[in-house]
Amino acid sequence: MKLIGTQPSPYVRRFRILLAGSEFEFQPMDVYADEDRAILEQQNPANRVPVIIDGEQVVYESRVIFRYLQQKLDLPVLSWEQENRLSLIDALQDSYIVLLLSKRSGFDVSQDKLIYKLQNDRINNVLPALEQDVKDGKLADWDYLAISLFTVLDWVQFRDVWDLSPYPALVNWLQENQSSKGVAETDPRG
Ligand SMILES: N[C@@H](CCC(=O)N[C@@H](CS)C(=O)NCC(=O)O)C(=O)O
């Protein structure tokens, strides 16, 4: 099985961590380089990573890749509560990506604009919910949910896009999981 993705992508990192210790090949690429983009487009017309190729089967979209791996590796099915938590984590990640890409495109994200307000509101609503989940021990196991939360929070610190200090449970949890399986070897800092 091959995983195509960029080295810093938090979505890709989820699967590098989940698959740590299993037989798979990681094919790093630059999603913003024309040549790599053309190659990626052949596998995923939406031009996004992660993508996995397992024999003849190509699968993209993290949610779908997870379902594929759930079946293949016989991982436990998520409860609806866990599915909702994963939706919050995905929403958080997507909002941060919008803010980062906006900044990189030269926009001032502190401006009073609807698109930035929506992302900021979402982030400011989701972080306290996840802070409470961590306090309640809902992310105590190193499973796909915990890995997904870890990769978004670690990426936030790596990209310096948000101050997490108002959320001490999340910050402590992030720190505690720095030694979890697959984390060190997938660190985007190098
Ligand atoms: N909803 C997608 C999001 C994946 C995503 O945002 N990937 C980013 C890298 S972190 C990407 O490929 N960006 C390139 C682009 O948007 O053209 C998933 O869950 O897989």
Side-chain angles (χ1 to χ4, degrees), residues 29-135:
M29 51 127 15
D30 179 353
V31 81
Y32 300 117
D34 289 346
E35 210 173 298
D36 283 1
R37 234 177 144 70
I39 296 168
L40 175 64
E41 204 174 281
Q42 288 166 13
Q43 306 297 345
N44 176 7
N47 245 330
R48 286 201 296 205
V49 290
V51 172
I52 58 163
I53 304 176
D54 190 19
E56 297 293 299
Q57 188 62 61
V58 178
V59 186
Y60 37 81
E61 268 303 311
S62 58
R63 207 97 188 206
V64 186
I65 293 175
F66 178 60
R67 267 181 46 215
Y68 183 82
L69 293 176
Q70 255 176 342
Q71 285 181 15
K72 188 178 168 84
L73 306 176
D74 207 15
L75 301 174
V77 171
L78 300 183
S79 66
W80 293 118
E81 186 193 326
Q82 287 174 314
E83 291 280 4
N84 282 340
R85 194 166 296 121
L86 184 57
S87 295
L88 294 186
I89 294 169
D90 285 352
L92 186 67
Q93 183 65 74
D94 288 342
S95 285
Y96 281 132
I97 289 176
V98 169
L99 291 180
L100 185 76
L101 289 182
S102 300
K103 272 191 208 168
R104 285 189 175 174
S105 304
F107 296 107
D108 175 4
V109 299
S110 65
Q111 274 186 325
D112 184 16
K113 296 282 181 200
L114 179 62
I115 180 135
Y116 306 136
K117 179 183 165 7
L118 295 179
Q119 310 316 315
N120 284 313
D121 285 356
R122 186 160 23 253
I123 292 168
N124 283 321
N125 286 336
V126 169
L127 283 174
L130 293 171
E131 168 89 354
Q132 193 57 50
D133 285 344
V134 165
K135 281 186 189 162

Side-chain angles (χ1 to χ4, degrees), residues 22-34:
S22 314
E23 276 283 304
F24 82 103
E25 178 198 340
F26 174 50
Q27 185 181 317
M29 51 127 15
D30 179 353
V31 81
Y32 300 117
D34 289 346

Side-chain angles (χ1 to χ4, degrees), residues 153-166:
L153 296 179
D154 196 53
W155 183 87
V156 163
Q157 293 201 323
F158 165 55
R159 294 298 195 197
D160 201 15
V161 283
W162 202 266
D163 176 19
L164 294 176
S165 62

